[in-house]
Amino acid sequence: MDVEALHPKRHWYLTHELAFALLRQFKAGLTVPDTRLYFAHVQSAKCSNRAGKEQASRTLFENCRPFILPELKILKPDIVVTQGNPAVEAILKGGFAVRQHVRRTVNGARYETAFLELDRETRCLWLQTYHPGARSHFHRQRTHCWPLYAMAVAGFWEAGTEARPSR
């Protein structure tokens, strides 16, 4: 994907920008376009029969949801970021063990983290964010919570091998 060709106020660019906010502390010289090398996009609706970029039907989301846990077991991510309520629902109803769920409000923005156990050996950090389409909520969270999410990621990495799956 040519990230530089994306509109800076649209979903895909903002997704890369979040990855940049989380990862720049670990890689000097990282740019927003470079983040495409460090994340995979997994969604509960694999396809849509709707015109354009319209969201898929609820039935499609529900039918595809069971594939998320097996996909993540294969990918073995260190961090999972959900964007929006359907993504949170996919995690909560998807067979994941959720541990140490932290919820708080920061200057009117929702901050939520937890750990997901993908299997006995694999635990990852879960960050819950608004979908960029929820503009006012998203931008409030971007301002007030993204720095906190970056600190949570740093703490997760600093915790070492006991907190992260081995590679």
Side-chain angles (χ1 to χ4, degrees):
M1 173 180 288
D2 182 4
V3 178
E4 292 178 284
L6 299 172
H7 191 285
K9 294 186 181 193
R10 297 289 177 127
H11 175 216
W12 271 111
Y13 186 88
L14 293 168
T15 299
H16 286 82
E17 189 177 73
L18 173 57
F20 175 75
L22 300 175
L23 300 174
R24 68 181 170 201
Q25 61 191 318
F26 303 110
K27 184 156 179 65
L30 184 72
T31 65
V32 172
D34 292 340
T35 62
R36 73 186 187 289
L37 305 171
Y38 299 98
F39 76 91
H41 184 248
V42 176
Q43 65 184 59
S44 54
K46 304 298 178 202
C47 57
S48 177
N49 57 0
R50 303 251 172 120
K53 296 180 181 178
E54 193 175 331
Q55 184 172 341
S57 70
R58 179 110 180 123
T59 302
L60 188 64
F61 276 97
E62 289 172 8
N63 289 342
C64 294
R65 185 180 299 135
F67 297 102
I68 292 177
L69 180 56
E71 272 186 299
L72 291 179
K73 284 182 178 183
I74 291 167
L75 291 170
K76 294 185 182 189
D78 294 312
I79 304 163
V80 169
V81 177
T82 52
Q83 295 180 316
N85 292 333
V88 170
E89 186 178 326
I91 296 294
L92 295 177
K93 292 182 177 180
F96 296 88
V98 179
R99 307 281 186 249
Q100 298 174 320
H101 203 148
V102 174
R103 294 180 180 107
R104 46 185 232 226
T105 302
V106 180
N107 294 323
R110 181 185 77 201
Y111 170 87
E112 289 193 60
T113 64
F115 291 102
L116 299 178
E117 292 180 5
L118 304 179
D119 55 39
R120 276 193 264 192
E121 296 84 35
T122 310
R123 182 170 99 152
C124 62
L125 179 64
W126 177 26
L127 310 176
Q128 296 176 44
T129 70
Y130 285 102
H131 188 280
R135 294 193 197 313
S136 63
H137 295 296
F138 174 84
H139 290 294
R140 190 175 312 117
Q141 191 177 58
R142 178 185 185 196
T143 300
H144 300 292
C145 298
W146 283 17
L148 299 174
Y149 286 137
M151 289 185 345
V153 169
F156 181 67
W157 279 96
E158 288 172 8
T161 57
E162 291 183 26
R164 288 193 325 268
S166 59
R167 294 277 179 233

